Structures are given as structure tokens and as C-alpha cells.
Amino acid sequence: MPSSLGSRTKASSSDTDGCPVRFVHTISEAGRLLPSASRWNSIEIDFNLVPQSANGYDSLSSRYSKSVDYDLIITDRKYFKRFLYISVSIALAILLLVLLILFLPRKHANHGSSQNLTLAVNQALTFFDAQKSGQYPSNSPIKFRGDSGMHDQDSSQKHDLVGSGRNGANIPNDINCWQRPEQMNYARPVSSCGTTASDLAGEIVAALSAASLVFKEDTVYSKDLVAAAEKLFDLATKDDPKSQGTYTMVDACGGDGRTFYNSSGYEDELVWAGTWLFFATGNTSYLEYVRTGYKTAEVLLTRLLYFHDLGYPFEDVLASSSNMTDSVMCSYLSDHKFNKTRGGLILLKPDYGTPLQFSATAAFLSKLYSDYLDLMRSTGRRCGSDVISQKMFLYILGDNPMKISYMVGFGDHFPNKVHHRSAWIPWDGQLYSCAEGERWRMSVDPNPNVLSGAMVAGPDQFDHFIDERDQPLFTEPTISSNAGLVAALIALHDPHRNPSDSNGINLGIDQTGIFRLAPTAP
């Protein structure tokens, strides 16, 4: 083979060793060796598969600075045709695959609406309008509700809440009488709680304290909320052990509520109350109560550690809270700690039923914690808690084996036989007795009223859901479950990006506003 650049080499019938030459190399103008390891690199197209140029191949321009000629010789036309057929078949197969990918429905294509969290938040909030008792506002978006429970007030005790759930066929109550709330006329007894209901007191203190921060612009109202919270907290945390306990311990307080909403302790509620009172007042004595009585992990305390570390003597309990919160958040992702359905729904209390209320709250807490880490630009402590939030809500809003949205009114397929008296009895101006209302409960027809925004209890541990009114473990919504739903939807909702933020981080969290009254580290 000549060594000069630009030379032309042809195959001859013999060589110096007497063997025929079948494949040859040509040196390109760029000084590179052209490939000829295969017989198809030495083929000359000479049987009119393509039109011949009138000017010949020498007239075609080259990608290099000078053209390079080399002759290709067909040694077996049958193999070449087979090669062409195979090549064309592969090309068509690739084209068909691309078309399938582009035009066939994707796995979750029918759940695109589940990404519309703004719509989901608005709908979830309307559920609370459907739960109101007393004089009903005329401007409510729920048009199948009206005044209810107007006779609940006891003239002697001046209480205006609670009801009865005792079993007894001859005594109508909230459980066995299937009437619209607007038509209730049976007795609804009142329960009265003293200072021994520390769990209830703690929740009320926390709510009043948090509300004082929300309404801080209304200084008079905000101060009244704080004053009431401090007074109640003092009563609930007296040193006298007889003054503390759960509401379920006292018959007059717990009443029939113990059958449905049992309480296992009160310490966590008082820690929760003390934490919010600290934020509402800046008084470290409340945080000291939390420090000495702290036993459980709280995301709220973790926020205090991350964004407003007070140092000694609180750093130990705050660090412990952070470590425990890390463990809880990451445990949501562990198949060893919590079970999951085959469809991916986390089962925090598999024997309790109604799994969605727990998974929704877990989604909220994990997303909030993930946002804290993002604000800190922390990567070493992440275990994917933001992923579990997205998966849980895609599941709740329709991405599940039943292909059903468990929030009523959202999406194309959702429960239509919700266990809810206002939803399953028509609002037609007719009075229905308890017995007459029973026929509506047993009807196979969908509810005449759509309880928009209500999240039902959810499926069983096998992802199976029964849409029937007489199956409350599947179809009953609750205020507590919708509270977790709304919190998580807001947490997952993408906030507007702040153009002035060079790092692009604006998670909708007021990083410091909650600490406006809190002292700084010494």
C-alpha cells in the first residue's frame, strides 16, 4: 500500500504472496485510516440501486478539503440485500417506537388535573363550610346547608355545643338517627370539662396562641387571645397532679366522645401549647416548660433550632428534637418501619383504618421539614421526605390502583356515596323523620348533594375501596382529616418565585416572622 497522502488503492487479483486481496484501506486527506474491518467497507454499488450521477461521483463535493476515492466491490449480492432489508426493518421499528412513545397515553396522563393544587385547596376548604353548625351564613358556597343545632344551648348551663352517640334503638341521637342536621329535634346532651382535661386545654392554648400571631395586626384582639391562652395554660399545668389528666378520665367531661375520640395522654398537647405560647409571647418560661417536659419529636421545635437557635440551656432539647424529627421523617420512606400498600400508600396505623388522614398529615410534615432543609441549603440530612409528600398526594388525588380521587369533586372519578347526612338526604324542603331518613342511607343512588372538597377515609391495606354509605371506614370524611389535607396541599403548592432572590429559593415560608417576639441567643 502506498504511503503517500491522497493516493488511490485498488484490489487486485493477486498479491506478492499469491493470495487474492478482498478488503483494502485508503489513507484519507486528513491523514486518518478509513475503516475497512468489514466486507461492507469494500462494496461498490454497481447494480443500479440508486440513480447514477451524470457527472460521476468525482464531481460530488467532499466533507474534507480534497475528495478521496476508493473502489467498493460486491462479493455477495444476496448478503447485501439481506443487510439492506435488516437495516430498513430496524429503522422502521425505531420510527414506530418513537411514534408510540409520542402518541400513546402515558401511565399517569389521565391524572394531569391532580397537579392543579390551587383547585384542590379551594375545594378542600369548602368542606368546612358544609360542617358548620348554628346560624348558617347566607353567603356560603354550600347551598344545601342551613341553620342547624339551634336548640343545642342548655338554658341552665349556657353551653352551646357537643351531642350523643349512645347505642339505643329507642333513643334518637347523632349516630342512629338519619336526619339532616337542619331537622334535628332530639336531645343533644352537653358535657362539661374542668381543669382535669389537660389534653383539650393544651390544644386550645396552642390554637389561641397561633391565632394571636395570625391576627397580630389587630393588636387588641391578638392580646385578648394571648391572655386567654396564658390563663388556661396556667390552669392546665398546675403542680397539683390531681389537676392534670385527659378528658376521657372524667365521665362528665368525656361523655359519649370517648367512644369515638379516645385520648391516650396529655403531655404532648401541653408541650405543643408551651411551644406556641413561647412564639406568641417571647416568654422563655414557656420554652423552659417544653425543655423539662419534652418527650416527643416536633417539627416546630426543629424550626426554632434551625432559624432561631437560643443556645444554652435549650440547645440540648432542640438538638434532640431535630434528631428525632430526622428519624420520623426518614421512617416514612422505610418499608421496615411502616407498611405500605402495593399502590404505595403509607400505612401509619394499619389496624386503625381510615389511612388517608394519617398519610395526608405525614405528607404535610415531611414537606414542611423538607422546605426547612431547603432554606438551610442542607443536603447531608435529606432522606427524600419531599418525595413521599408528592407520592402521597398523587395517590390521594387519583394516582392509585382504583384510579379514583379520594377528594370528592376533584377529578373525573371520585366517591359519590359519602357517609354524610347533609350529602345523602335531599335538600327539598321536606321534613324527614329518623326512620324516613333511613331509606336515603340505604339507597343505591349517588348522593343528591356533592360534598365538594371532602377527603374520605380511604382504601384498605390492599388498595381496595368500597363506595357505600354504610361503610364509614371507607367513605366517611372528618374535620381532622381535611385539616391535614389542606395543610399538605398548601405546603405542596408552588409559591411565586421572587425574582430578586438570586438563589431562586422562595418556599412561601416566613422564615423569621414567627420569632418576632422571641429573644435572641445570649
Side-chain angles (χ1 to χ4, degrees):
M1 178 182 295
S3 61
S4 60
L5 295 179
S7 62
R8 178 173 178 173
T9 304
K10 292 187 177 181
S12 61
S13 61
S14 63
D15 201 308
T16 55
D17 57 4
C19 297
V21 178
R22 301 186 63 188
F23 311 112
V24 296
H25 288 289
T26 300
I27 301 300
S28 72
E29 287 293 330
R32 295 186 297 178
L33 192 65
L34 295 177
S36 64
S38 159
R39 69 179 357 166
W40 307 116
N41 288 333
S42 60
I43 293 176
E44 177 178 333
I45 302 178
D46 61 355
F47 50 99
N48 297 323
L49 288 178
V50 295
Q52 297 294 318
S53 171
N55 297 326
Y57 292 109
D58 289 341
S59 65
L60 298 177
S61 60
S62 171
R63 62 182 295 185
Y64 302 106
S65 58
K66 295 181 180 180
S67 63
V68 177
D69 294 327
Y70 56 94
D71 292 334
L72 302 176
I73 302 173
I74 293 294
T75 59
D76 194 322
R77 183 177 299 181
K78 181 179 69 173
Y79 285 116
F80 181 61
K81 286 185 177 180
R82 183 178 299 174
F83 167 76
L84 289 179
Y85 294 150
I86 294 175
S87 300
V88 171
S89 299
I90 292 175
L92 291 176
I94 293 175
L95 177 61
L96 179 60
L97 180 61
V98 171
L99 292 176
L100 289 174
I101 292 175
L102 289 176
F103 294 106
L104 282 182
R106 290 176 172 82
K107 180 179 180 181
H108 305 312
N110 60 328
H111 304 303
S113 61
S114 65
Q115 302 298 328
N116 190 346
L117 296 184
T118 300
L119 174 62
V121 169
N122 291 333
Q123 288 186 338
L125 286 171
T126 63
F127 169 73
F128 296 102
D129 289 291
Q131 296 299 105
K132 291 179 179 178
S133 180
Q135 187 172 354
Y136 203 74
S138 59
N139 61 348
S140 172
I142 306 298
K143 300 306 180 184
F144 57 84
R145 286 298 319 274
D147 295 349
S148 64
M150 301 300 290
H151 303 291
D152 282 356
Q153 180 171 339
D154 185 286
S155 59
S156 61
Q157 299 184 33
K158 300 298 181 183
H159 294 299
D160 59 1
L161 294 176
V162 199
S164 174
R166 294 183 186 274
N167 293 324
N170 298 324
I171 304 176
N173 57 49
D174 292 339
I175 300 301
N176 61 29
C177 181
W178 307 105
Q179 278 185 311
R180 292 185 54 81
E182 292 79 7
Q183 298 175 342
M184 296 184 302
N185 59 9
Y186 50 81
R188 288 167 54 84
V190 174
S191 295
S192 178
C193 298
T195 58
T196 55
S198 302
D199 46 358
L200 298 184
E203 293 287 1
I204 295 172
V205 169
L208 293 174
S209 301
S212 74
L213 296 172
V214 174
F215 297 104
K216 63 183 178 182
E217 303 300 329
D218 188 343
T219 55
V220 175
Y221 182 53
S222 180
K223 288 181 179 179
D224 287 344
L225 291 172
V226 172
E230 290 186 300
K231 182 177 180 180
L232 184 56
F233 186 79
D234 289 341
L235 290 174
T237 56
K238 285 182 178 180
D239 293 335
D240 182 5
K242 294 182 180 180
S243 66
Q244 294 185 347
T246 63
Y247 85 101
T248 56
M249 294 175 58
V250 182
D251 289 341
C253 176
D256 293 346
R258 292 176 293 187
T259 306
F260 308 97
Y261 310 106
N262 201 8
S263 179
S264 59
Y266 61 87
E267 292 86 355
D268 54 340
E269 281 92 352
L270 292 180
V271 168
W272 181 244
T275 304
W276 277 110
L277 257 182
F278 166 72
F279 289 132
T281 64
N283 188 339
T284 56
S285 65
Y286 296 121
L287 193 60
E288 179 65 21
Y289 177 88
V290 173
R291 185 182 73 85
T292 57
Y294 165 79
K295 292 182 180 179
T296 57
E298 291 186 14
V299 176
L300 190 62
L301 287 178
T302 301
R303 177 172 181 165
L304 180 60
L305 171 66
Y306 287 171
F307 305 128
H308 197 82
D309 189 0
L310 293 177
Y312 181 82
F314 305 110
E315 68 271 25
D316 289 341
V317 68
L318 294 179
S320 175
S321 171
S322 178
N323 292 335
M324 293 182 68
T325 303
D326 275 340
S327 177
V328 170
M329 296 299 106
C330 291
S331 68
Y332 292 157
L333 302 176
S334 173
D335 293 331
H336 302 290
K337 179 65 176 179
F338 295 115
N339 295 325
K340 294 180 183 178
T341 67
R342 295 189 65 179
L345 178 65
I346 188 171
L347 298 173
L348 298 181
K349 293 186 176 182
D351 298 328
Y352 188 83
T354 64
L356 295 187
Q357 62 176 317
F358 303 112
S359 61
T361 303
F364 162 62
L365 292 175
S366 60
K367 180 60 170 69
L368 184 64
Y369 184 62
S370 174
D371 287 348
Y372 288 173
L373 297 182
D374 284 340
L375 284 174
M376 293 179 62
R377 295 168 175 80
S378 173
T379 57
R381 310 182 71 165
R382 186 176 301 281
C383 60
S385 56
D386 53 343
V387 176
I388 191 68
S389 303
Q390 297 289 345
K391 287 183 177 180
M392 287 303 98
F393 267 86
L394 289 176
Y395 186 102
I396 292 172
L397 299 181
D399 191 4
N400 53 67
M402 296 290 291
K403 305 302 180 186
I404 183 174
S405 168
Y406 290 115
M407 189 173 80
V408 178
F410 189 83
D412 298 327
H413 182 38
F414 49 83
N416 57 29
K417 298 178 184 178
V418 182
H419 184 90
H420 192 274
R421 285 189 291 166
S422 288
W424 75 47
I425 301 178
W427 181 241
D428 55 8
Q430 299 295 317
L431 176 64
Y432 295 100
S433 66
C434 295
E436 291 172 331
E438 184 73 17
R439 71 181 179 92
W440 294 107
R441 185 178 73 89
M442 301 303 296
S443 171
V444 297
D445 296 327
N447 289 348
N449 304 312
V450 178
L451 193 64
S452 181
M455 184 177 74
V456 296
D460 60 18
Q461 59 184 333
F462 304 106
D463 297 300
H464 185 243
F465 178 75
I466 301 176
D467 188 12
E468 297 294 342
R469 296 182 191 89
D470 61 350
Q471 297 287 337
L473 288 179
F474 293 94
T475 59
E476 185 177 27
T478 64
I479 293 177
S480 57
S481 62
N482 254 64
L485 172 71
V486 170
L489 285 172
I490 293 175
L492 288 166
H493 194 282
D494 292 331
H496 294 294
R497 295 294 176 183
N498 185 357
S500 63
D501 188 348
S502 59
N503 294 305
I505 295 180
N506 178 24
L507 299 171
I509 296 177
D510 186 351
Q511 184 172 339
T512 59
I514 197 174
F515 308 121
R516 64 186 181 89
L517 298 176
T520 58

